[in-house]
Amino acid sequence: MDSAVTARAAESIELAALLHRCGEADQEAFAELYDRTSARVFGLVLRVLHDPGYAEETTQEVYLQIWRTAATFDADKGSAVTWLMTLAHRRAVDRVRAEQAHTQREVAYGIRVLGNEFDEVTEEVERRLEQQAVLEGLATLTDTQREAISLAYYGGRTYAEVAHYLGVGLPTVKSRIRDGLTRLKRSLGVT
């Protein structure tokens, strides 16, 4: 266990030195840093993106960012590996967000440009199918239930007005409408 900790500590010191040299535009140091860390960076990016092509591109972007910002690395704030992996993770998450935003824009554009006519036709077909289902459901009601529901829902009358129009008591109208709606729900498959 001590040898693993010692190896990690030594690696951290070596990578910090390479980052310092990269900050001074040392291309050899950058090449060595890349060789020693690119597999780990690529692995992290691939786990976030789930796409090897995007992961390769994003890994290149990470190393470009490392080259440009290596001078900002501060070993007192964390290890070199932590700094590299943080940059890689942030870049990968940014890529995911950018792809999601792109997809949302494409979908929104498609809906605006392509979807209007289709949606209108679809909505009209759905409306007619629902209307047909309601008419078939109404046919399953008794005459008194159908009349009370029609007056209340299609005629826009209150329960009291329906009771007065039919010449029956308000509790009778409420019962007819409640029982009719229950039967109508069952025939439409509504729970």
Side-chain angles (χ1 to χ4, degrees), residues 35-99:
D35 289 342
R36 291 180 66 176
T37 61
S38 62
R40 285 182 273 185
V41 169
F42 177 76
L44 173 68
V45 171
L46 182 60
R47 281 192 302 275
V48 173
L49 297 178
H50 306 289
D51 182 289
Y54 284 147
E56 288 173 6
E57 290 175 21
T58 303
T59 300
Q60 289 176 356
E61 293 169 4
V62 168
Y63 279 96
L64 181 60
Q65 182 179 4
I66 291 168
W67 176 252
R68 291 179 177 163
T69 63
T72 65
F73 169 70
D74 183 355
D76 293 334
K77 293 183 179 177
S79 74
V81 171
T82 300
W83 188 73
L84 294 171
M85 298 308 250
T86 299
L87 291 178
H89 186 262
R90 286 179 183 163
R91 181 67 64 158
V93 169
D94 287 345
R95 182 66 179 255
V96 168
R97 289 179 180 151
E99 290 300 318

Side-chain angles (χ1 to χ4, degrees), residues 158-170:
T158 66
Y159 285 12
E161 290 172 336
V162 172
H164 180 44
Y165 180 83
L166 295 176
V168 296
L170 183 59

Side-chain angles (χ1 to χ4, degrees), residues 15-172:
L15 293 177
L18 288 173
L19 280 170
H20 178 71
R21 288 173 48 202
C22 289
E24 296 173 347
D26 183 333
Q27 293 179 5
E28 288 179 18
F30 182 74
E32 185 178 343
L33 178 74
Y34 179 85
D35 289 342
R36 291 180 66 176
T37 61
S38 62
R40 285 182 273 185
V41 169
F42 177 76
L44 173 68
V45 171
L46 182 60
R47 281 192 302 275
V48 173
L49 297 178
H50 306 289
D51 182 289
Y54 284 147
E56 288 173 6
E57 290 175 21
T58 303
T59 300
Q60 289 176 356
E61 293 169 4
V62 168
Y63 279 96
L64 181 60
Q65 182 179 4
I66 291 168
W67 176 252
R68 291 179 177 163
T69 63
T72 65
F73 169 70
D74 183 355
D76 293 334
K77 293 183 179 177
S79 74
V81 171
T82 300
W83 188 73
L84 294 171
M85 298 308 250
T86 299
L87 291 178
H89 186 262
R90 286 179 183 163
R91 181 67 64 158
V93 169
D94 287 345
R95 182 66 179 255
V96 168
R97 289 179 180 151
E99 290 300 318
Q100 287 174 338
H102 174 73
T103 300
Q104 289 171 345
R105 284 191 304 272
E106 290 291 317
V107 168
Y109 174 78
I111 288 171
R112 263 194 329 275
V113 173
L114 304 173
N116 291 341
E117 294 170 18
F118 176 78
D119 285 344
E120 290 172 12
V121 171
T122 301
E123 287 178 22
E124 179 61 23
V125 168
E126 287 176 359
R127 189 188 65 76
R128 288 185 183 182
L129 289 173
E130 287 173 358
Q131 182 181 25
Q132 183 62 36
V134 169
L135 290 174
E136 289 171 3
L138 285 172
T140 66
L141 304 180
T142 65
D143 290 339
T144 56
Q145 290 172 337
R146 186 173 35 260
E147 184 178 29
I149 288 173
S150 295
L151 289 169
Y153 290 93
Y154 296 115
R157 297 180 184 192
T158 66
Y159 285 12
E161 290 172 336
V162 172
H164 180 44
Y165 180 83
L166 295 176
V168 296
L170 183 59
T172 303

